[in-house]
């Protein structure tokens, strides 16, 4: 499906400098940013709310509304709702186009060919968001719930990445699916990428963050999940820390990362 003139113009004006003209994450500003801009054509969207962890239109709109703290993805809340809707349409169109091109390339390697309509249909199926995850009603959380959540935090080994105090462990080094060094969120001093609202924290725990080392928490019941939400939210302190691109890169590629790279590649010459 071709883009509308309005959607394409909005994307070129507001998104292409970072995400690239064709959505491949290679915009002219990308080399200055840390973490790198998402490849809209083939990368996994981090913030999802669906059972198959494929971002829905509402997920894309939510990111456009609030941005993603801890990255260079700013909020576009000053745009009219209709403009954000057009932008979301263009992002999802680029997503389908990327899936279509990958399918065409894979079929070509196997000596097969499909007509454009069949490719579009397969691409739409591959990028179709699943049913929304049901988030239970979440209250403020009692002291008992927070205490139980702390136990879950350690039982689920959350501390191995987020640190025993929640402020982020520096070892072991972590990488995302694109091979970029990354680090676990400091739950004490930094804003959560998906927002600090109870429902948002629940989704990040239940679904993880696709494309990153953050896994989905499995084999826990709903009460245990909500207890974990209450504990994580109890860790937050004000004022929240805001890092520059350079500071984020320094933290992600700190001593633990450099040591691991030397073990894999040998000492840097």
């Amino acid at each position: 499906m071709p883009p509308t003139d309005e959607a394409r113009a909005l994307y070129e004006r507001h998104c292409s400098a970072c995400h690239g003209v064709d959505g491949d994450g290679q915009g002219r500003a990308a080399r200055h940013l840390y973490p790198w801009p998402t490849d809209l054509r083939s990368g996994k969207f981090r913030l999802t709310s669906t059972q198959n962890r494929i971002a829905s239109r509402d997920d894309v709109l939510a990111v456009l509304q609030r941005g993603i703290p801890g990255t260079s993805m700013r909020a576009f809340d000053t745009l009219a709702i209709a403009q954000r809707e057009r932008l979301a349409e263009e992002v999802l169109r680029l997503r389908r186009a990327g899936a279509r091109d990958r399918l065409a390339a894979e079929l070509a390697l196997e000596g097969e060919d499909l007509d454009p309509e069949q490719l579009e249909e397969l691409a739409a199926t591959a990028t179709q968001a699943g049913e929304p995850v049901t988030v239970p009603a979440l209250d403020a959380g009692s002291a008992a719930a927070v205490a139980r959540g702390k136990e879950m935090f350690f039982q689920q080994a959350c501390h191995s990445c987020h640190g025993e105090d929640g402020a982020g462990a520096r070892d072991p080094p972590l990488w995302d699916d694109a091979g970029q060094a990354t680090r676990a969120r400091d739950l004490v001093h930094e804003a959560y990428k998906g927002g600090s609202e109870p429902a948002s924290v629940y989704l990040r725990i239940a679904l993880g963050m696709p494309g990153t080392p953050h896994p989905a928490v499995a084999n826990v019941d709903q009460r245990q999940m909500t207890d974990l939400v209450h504990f994580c939210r109890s860790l937050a302190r004000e004022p929240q820390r805001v890092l520059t691109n350079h500071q984020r890169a320094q933290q992600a590629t700190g001593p633990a990362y450099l040591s691991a790279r030397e073990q894999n590649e040998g000492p840097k010459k």
Side-chain angles (χ1 to χ4, degrees):
M1 181 184 298
T4 65
D5 290 342
E6 181 187 5
R8 190 61 192 168
L10 283 166
Y11 176 85
E12 289 178 355
R13 183 180 310 126
H14 297 290
C15 312
S16 64
C18 297
H19 291 286
V21 174
D22 296 321
D24 60 2
Q26 300 296 315
R28 62 184 181 276
R31 65 192 181 93
H32 302 292
L33 307 180
Y34 207 97
W36 300 327
T38 297
D39 178 346
L40 303 176
R41 299 176 69 87
S42 62
K44 295 177 180 177
F45 288 8
R46 308 302 198 232
L47 305 177
T48 65
S49 64
T50 63
Q51 293 176 9
N52 64 358
R53 306 206 305 165
I54 293 176
S56 67
R57 180 174 179 272
D58 286 344
D59 291 331
V60 176
L61 283 170
V63 169
L64 290 171
Q65 167 69 25
R66 68 180 175 229
I68 304 180
T71 75
S72 297
M73 178 63 195
R74 69 176 183 85
F76 287 93
D77 52 343
T78 58
L79 292 181
I81 294 175
Q83 290 178 309
R84 292 199 298 272
E85 289 174 342
R86 299 291 84 75
L87 269 180
E89 289 172 6
E90 179 62 3
V91 168
L92 293 175
R93 185 195 69 81
L94 290 168
R95 192 80 169 157
R96 291 190 299 272
R100 181 199 63 216
D101 292 347
R102 289 193 302 278
L103 285 167
E106 291 168 5
L107 289 169
L109 287 175
E110 297 174 3
E112 298 183 30
D113 191 19
L114 288 179
D115 64 53
E117 288 187 7
Q118 288 176 305
L119 277 174
E120 289 289 351
E121 185 176 342
L122 288 173
T125 299
T127 56
Q128 179 64 46
E131 290 296 317
V133 170
T134 300
V135 179
L138 294 163
D139 56 22
S142 64
V146 171
R148 292 193 303 268
K150 182 175 182 178
E151 292 180 6
M152 288 299 301
F153 186 82
F154 286 91
Q155 288 176 16
Q156 292 295 316
C158 304
H159 66 289
S160 64
C161 293
H162 289 290
E164 293 191 359
D165 60 356
R170 296 293 176 259
D171 191 35
L174 303 171
W175 287 269
D176 63 19
D177 282 7
Q180 182 183 37
T182 186
R183 63 180 179 85
R185 176 63 51 186
D186 179 341
L187 303 177
V188 180
H189 304 105
E190 295 175 350
Y192 293 179
K193 288 186 176 180
S196 60
E197 301 82 4
S200 296
V201 179
Y202 184 98
L203 289 170
R204 298 292 69 74
I205 294 171
L207 298 171
M209 296 184 70
T212 80
H214 193 302
V217 172
N219 303 318
V220 298
D221 61 33
Q222 195 171 83
R223 196 198 75 169
Q224 291 171 320
M225 191 82 76
T226 57
D227 288 344
L228 192 49
V229 169
H230 293 315
F231 173 68
C232 289
R233 296 186 73 245
S234 76
L235 295 171
R237 298 291 181 270
E238 296 288 348
Q240 293 177 331
R241 182 183 301 145
V242 179
L243 303 178
T244 65
N245 281 287
H246 179 65
Q247 289 170 328
R248 289 195 290 265
Q250 281 189 315
Q251 289 201 3
T253 58
Y257 163 80
L258 296 174
S259 175
R261 187 177 68 179
E262 288 187 358
Q263 290 176 20
N264 293 330
E265 303 175 3
K268 186 175 180 181
K269 302 297 184 183

